Amino acid sequence: MATRMKLKLKTVFVLYFMVSLLGLVYALMQLGQRCDCSEHDLPKDRTISRLRGELHRLQEQMKKSDATKQPQKQPAKPTVFVITPTYARLVQKAELTRLSQTFLHVPQLHWIVVEDSPHKTPLVTDLLVKSGLTYTHLYMLTAKDRKLQEGDPSWLKPRGVEQRNEGLRWLREDRRAQPGGDNQQGVVYFADDDNTYSLQIFEEMRSTQRVSVWPVGLVGGMKYERPVVEGGKVVRFHTGWRPSRPFPMDMAGFAVSLKLVLANPEACFDGEAPMGFLESSFLQGLVTMDELEPKADNCSKVLVWHTRTEKPKMKREEALQAQGLGSDRAVEV
Amino acid sequence: MPKRRDILAIVLIVLPWTLLITVWHQSTIAPLLAIRKACHHLVKEIFIIPERLAVHHHRLSDDGVEGKREAGGQAQDSKEYCASDKDIVEVVRTEYVYTRPPPWSDVLPTIHIITPTYSRPVQKAELTRLANTFLHVPNLHWILVEDSQRRTPLVTRLLRETGLNYTHLNVETPRNYKLRGETRDPRIPRGTMQRNLALRWLRETFNANSSQAGIVYFADDDNTYSLELFEEMRSTRKVSVWPVAFVGGLRYESPKVNAAGKVYGWKTVFDPHRPFAIDMAGFAINLRLILFKPQAYFKLRGVKGGYQESSLLRELVTLNDLEPKAANCTKILVWHTRTEKPVLVNEGKKGFTDPNVEI
């Protein structure tokens, strides 16, 4: 009986030991694994699963709204090609940032940014990549004698001419290579980087057949400039400055259909034109006044404003730099 | 001998179990390590998912450089967000297009933006582009306070048409205190009464005990804000701070942050010894703190130039409690831009343009 008991005890022990050992090994293996049991109840863990659920919910919502939108409009909408000349100065990043935030709301928009620079700058490159927009990044340096110098009034020399012409050149070259040739749908708009655009203006210009026009706020020394419409046609222009110009309006006040741009490969901005005649130099070869299409409720609403941003005062910065204590140049502003 | 065997037996039984129990306690730490991994996964997902959902495509520029956004390049940012002890910051990149504000989330803290505004020719333009920015930010509540006797139809219509979640208030600054053109009456800085009204509205509307998480930010209508800024401020526990460009006559002003991640001073030239030498756009306050200290307001009278922000923050928080954002105050995410006053010479005395057309 003693031996039997001994045997029994021994096997019991062995069994017991093996079971415990297995349990230990199992627990050790659990150490490296992720524990997805909710009983741990750590706040961070909860936050993660909550955020994850949130993310999936938003994803589903996005997919649903995209699915309903896509069959409806996307293929038929003409693309708006926005040509923006830009140049390096303190407020450049801020201006391009808020401009990109507006453009991000506009579907089927292609932003053509042309830098006044001998090469692409990293500031603009990074900004465009992060913006989430469809874009083309170009550059064209203005000749020194045509460039505004420090202290020159802004109206002394025409600005952005070479850059806009470069944008047009690229657009023509790029679109020619597309299927559909000269018969493509699209609208070309020249948007300066310091103006303010409402979202409606882009929808208004999308239906441009030749050249469409609308009022522009805060320009020409007045609250707004606008074409005067009678019987659905533009008969004259309401402006306070040199109304005898062929097209006395601001760059932001018109859009040209892509077809017209492609059909007239020689049409571009003339840098030699007298002050205020820049827009006319481009439009003269393209359209006559009675062919203009008035938008914005027969040119009675202001949907774009010619805002200008103040040059930030850098007195203290300059004083510090003279002492060699200027702010860290590595921080991009 | 049986005694020794018994002892041996007991030891053999007890040992693995004690080991097991101690190891099992250790394993409560394991999820924390696992959470780090999960956090990195989550942040990557948030960056990558919008790419997959993006409706538009990228055009190659004419020199053939690959313009496609590299989702992998964003991964290095995930380390910032998954650092130890930080609350998880959900950053949703807006790489898709929509015109309505993003769907409201029950999880994200609401950002209450207080903007004072006043009538002038550029007002509608400023508010329009500000609204275009805000339409990208999820869970945003815009509190627009007009400096006027009555709510103007211009602002009312604008707010309604944007589709944003908003509250429209108004209070008129008494005439002798207004900053009129060039005559600077230094007694009440512009926008103070409007901001205080908004703070009072928040305190009347939200209960201190409610669990609604919120962040309060003072945004002037002529500044420029990047979308990243709003996600940085969402994780504010008390008061968070970051650099602001184009203030104080410098490229940017910023808080001084030491190696431990604490604010110990201010990198400014204009009076750096102010208690809080920071611009209105350079800080955000947790709503709970506002509700917890119902007496804290911007001081109306007797405030020296540049001390307005200090007059409020002094009552809410100490320097030690400030949370530096924007990569320890090394990135610029907000610019103190100012819009030029438009030259309206051609309007003449009687006004040339039709006054019924709204600008």
Side-chain angles (χ1 to χ4, degrees):
Chain A
M1 200 158 159
T3 47
R4 250 201 311 162
M5 267 182 76
K6 197 171 158 189
L7 255 165
K8 234 181 163 182
L9 207 61
K10 197 175 178 184
T11 42
V12 165
F13 266 132
V14 168
L15 269 168
Y16 200 70
F17 194 68
M18 291 307 293
V19 166
S20 314
L21 206 66
L22 282 169
L24 193 77
V25 167
Y26 178 73
L28 278 168
M29 281 179 67
Q30 284 295 313
L31 251 184
Q33 298 296 320
R34 194 172 77 231
C35 171
D36 33 24
C37 37
S38 51
E39 59 213 35
H40 277 277
D41 223 28
L42 288 160
K44 275 194 178 173
D45 198 4
R46 255 188 304 170
T47 318
I48 283 206
S49 33
R50 221 169 12 134
L51 284 175
R52 219 185 221 120
E54 191 62 30
L55 179 67
H56 282 126
R57 196 173 64 81
L58 287 171
Q59 266 178 265
E60 290 305 307
Q61 249 174 319
M62 272 298 309
K63 279 195 188 130
K64 265 186 233 151
S65 59
D66 278 349
T68 49
K69 268 194 217 153
Q70 244 162 340
Q72 281 174 11
K73 293 174 203 163
Q74 298 296 69
K77 258 195 178 160
T79 306
V80 176
F81 294 93
V82 180
I83 299 180
T84 300
T86 184
Y87 66 104
R89 74 272 197 204
L90 283 168
V91 295
Q92 182 189 35
K93 191 178 181 188
E95 301 280 43
L96 293 177
T97 300
R98 56 183 170 186
L99 201 59
S100 68
Q101 285 163 358
T102 297
F103 290 162
L104 206 55
H105 288 297
V106 184
Q108 290 295 102
L109 183 142
H110 185 136
W111 197 16
I112 302 170
V113 178
V114 195
E115 289 198 74
D116 186 350
S117 149
H119 50 74
K120 294 187 195 178
T121 60
L123 187 148
V124 176
T125 311
D126 290 337
L127 190 142
L128 287 174
V129 167
K130 285 195 196 140
S131 68
L133 292 163
T134 307
Y135 68 87
T136 297
H137 187 182
L138 305 168
Y139 59 90
M140 172 62 69
L141 186 63
T142 312
K144 221 176 174 164
D145 57 341
R146 294 230 182 162
K147 230 187 155 139
L148 278 177
Q149 301 304 319
E150 190 76 32
D152 277 348
S154 62
W155 43 260
L156 195 64
K157 292 182 189 141
R159 292 187 302 171
V161 175
E162 286 85 347
Q163 289 75 40
R164 292 189 192 99
N165 286 339
E166 169 68 10
L168 285 170
R169 183 204 65 78
W170 178 89
L171 189 60
R172 285 171 175 134
E173 195 184 284
D174 178 79
R175 289 290 117 179
R176 286 245 172 74
Q178 301 290 323
D182 283 356
N183 228 359
Q184 288 172 63
Q185 294 267 23
V187 187
V188 181
Y189 184 51
F190 298 96
D192 290 344
D193 61 7
D194 54 358
N195 291 343
T196 304
Y197 308 91
S198 72
L199 301 179
Q200 291 101 294
I201 193 66
F202 298 103
E203 300 315 312
E204 292 278 318
M205 69 172 75
R206 243 185 252 274
S207 54
T208 305
Q209 297 301 312
R210 297 181 70 85
V211 176
S212 54
V213 292
W214 49 79
V216 177
L218 311 171
V219 71
M222 303 208 296
K223 285 201 187 139
Y224 61 88
E225 267 185 354
R226 69 183 182 100
V228 176
V229 177
E230 277 165 23
K233 289 227 175 277
V234 175
V235 292
R236 63 178 183 282
F237 291 90
H238 177 98
T239 161
W241 190 76
R242 288 216 196 160
S244 57
R245 294 174 277 164
F247 292 97
M249 48 186 173
D250 183 76
M251 201 65 73
F254 67 90
V256 187
S257 78
L258 182 63
K259 260 186 253 183
L260 206 58
V261 169
L262 296 176
N264 295 285
E266 302 308 310
C268 60
F269 292 94
D270 182 7
E272 304 286 336
M275 187 173 65
F277 281 76
L278 200 61
E279 294 84 1
S280 307
S281 71
F282 177 63
L283 290 171
Q284 257 176 322
L286 292 176
V287 76
T288 61
M289 200 195 314
D290 57 88
E291 287 175 336
L292 294 174
E293 299 149 53
K295 301 285 174 188
D297 213 0
N298 269 341
C299 293
S300 63
K301 289 212 213 128
V302 176
L303 300 174
V304 56
W305 298 263
H306 193 272
T307 44
R308 290 170 55 83
T309 307
E310 268 183 27
K311 195 172 161 188
K313 299 195 185 79
M314 288 285 125
K315 280 188 299 179
R316 297 207 177 93
E317 180 76 39
E318 284 150 18
L320 280 181
Q321 276 175 18
Q323 297 170 32
L325 294 168
S327 60
D328 186 358
R329 285 276 138 183
V331 176
E332 189 182 77
V333 164
Chain B
M1 232 165 130
K3 261 198 180 163
R4 253 179 73 185
R5 229 184 27 215
D6 280 334
I7 295 168
L8 191 67
I10 292 165
V11 165
L12 273 176
I13 294 169
V14 167
L15 188 71
W17 282 109
T18 45
L19 277 172
L20 199 75
I21 290 164
T22 47
V23 162
W24 205 256
H25 269 291
Q26 289 281 346
S27 76
T28 53
I29 302 171
L32 279 172
L33 296 166
I35 276 167
R36 254 188 161 208
K37 254 201 283 180
C39 182
H40 284 269
H41 283 304
L42 194 68
V43 172
K44 273 213 191 107
E45 264 180 272
I46 291 167
F47 281 138
I48 295 171
I49 296 296
E51 296 247 22
R52 297 210 287 262
L53 291 176
V55 180
H56 51 266
H57 59 276
H58 233 50
R59 276 294 292 150
L60 297 174
S61 56
D62 59 349
D63 63 1
V65 169
E66 181 60 54
K68 196 171 197 306
R69 278 162 277 137
E70 270 306 299
Q74 315 286 27
Q76 64 234 37
D77 295 334
S78 69
K79 289 210 185 74
E80 298 172 30
Y81 303 110
C82 295
S84 61
D85 283 334
K86 247 200 206 173
D87 283 342
I88 292 152
V89 177
E90 181 178 83
V91 178
V92 179
R93 291 288 189 150
T94 48
E95 283 168 330
Y96 41 88
V97 173
Y98 45 79
T99 46
R100 292 283 113 190
W104 198 268
S105 151
D106 293 322
V107 185
L108 296 175
T110 306
I111 298 182
H112 301 277
I113 305 225
I114 298 176
T115 301
T117 184
Y118 65 104
S119 286
R120 76 267 198 205
V122 296
Q123 182 189 35
K124 190 176 180 193
E126 301 282 40
L127 294 178
T128 300
R129 58 182 167 188
L130 204 58
N132 287 341
T133 302
F134 291 160
L135 278 168
H136 289 293
V137 185
N139 281 43
L140 185 142
H141 174 217
W142 197 12
I143 304 173
L144 194 57
V145 194
E146 288 197 74
D147 186 347
S148 65
Q149 222 173 34
R150 238 166 263 111
R151 285 177 225 175
T152 58
L154 186 150
V155 176
T156 312
R157 233 177 297 128
L158 188 142
L159 283 174
R160 197 179 44 225
E161 280 168 4
T162 59
L164 284 165
N165 178 10
Y166 69 89
T167 297
H168 187 183
L169 306 169
N170 69 294
V171 64
E172 190 174 28
T173 311
R175 233 161 246 270
N176 23 341
Y177 294 126
K178 251 193 207 174
L179 281 171
R180 282 255 192 139
E182 295 314 306
T183 61
R184 300 182 131 256
D185 184 346
R187 276 189 234 155
I188 291 192
R190 191 159 59 195
T192 314
M193 289 190 65
Q194 287 71 37
R195 294 189 190 98
N196 280 345
L197 179 68
L199 285 175
R200 196 163 63 130
W201 181 90
L202 281 170
R203 284 166 177 142
E204 284 169 7
T205 313
F206 291 99
N207 190 355
N209 299 323
S210 82
S211 58
Q212 278 173 317
I215 313 288
V216 178
Y217 181 54
F218 297 98
D220 288 343
D221 59 10
D222 53 1
N223 292 343
T224 304
Y225 309 93
S226 74
L227 300 178
E228 225 182 303
L229 177 73
F230 300 107
E231 301 314 316
E232 289 279 311
M233 69 171 78
R234 242 188 253 274
S235 56
T236 305
R237 264 179 261 133
K238 286 196 169 175
V239 175
S240 53
V241 292
W242 48 77
V244 180
F246 311 141
V247 277
L250 298 171
R251 278 172 82 232
Y252 63 90
E253 274 186 351
S254 97
K256 284 195 204 164
V257 181
N258 62 18
K262 289 263 176 220
V263 177
Y264 67 94
W266 308 97
K267 223 187 295 184
T268 80
V269 167
F270 171 65
D271 208 343
H273 302 295
R274 290 174 272 167
F276 294 91
I278 196 166
D279 182 77
M280 200 66 75
F283 64 90
I285 311 171
N286 192 318
L287 182 63
R288 246 180 287 124
L289 193 58
I290 300 275
L291 301 173
F292 188 59
K293 306 236 166 128
Q295 306 307 318
Y297 281 99
F298 287 102
K299 203 157 169 231
L300 281 175
R301 268 155 265 198
V303 181
K304 264 205 296 182
Y307 280 78
Q308 210 203 359
E309 294 84 3
S310 305
S311 72
L312 174 73
L313 290 173
R314 199 178 46 204
E315 301 184 39
L316 292 172
V317 80
T318 61
L319 208 68
N320 198 39
D321 287 332
L322 294 175
E323 300 150 51
K325 301 285 175 189
N328 262 348
C329 295
T330 56
K331 289 203 316 196
I332 307 292
L333 301 174
V334 56
W335 298 263
H336 194 274
T337 44
R338 290 170 56 85
T339 307
E340 268 183 27
K341 195 168 163 191
V343 169
L344 297 179
V345 279
N346 285 336
E347 287 286 347
K349 285 218 163 84
K350 291 199 201 133
F352 190 59
T353 50
D354 182 357
N356 289 323
V357 176
E358 192 183 83
I359 51 147

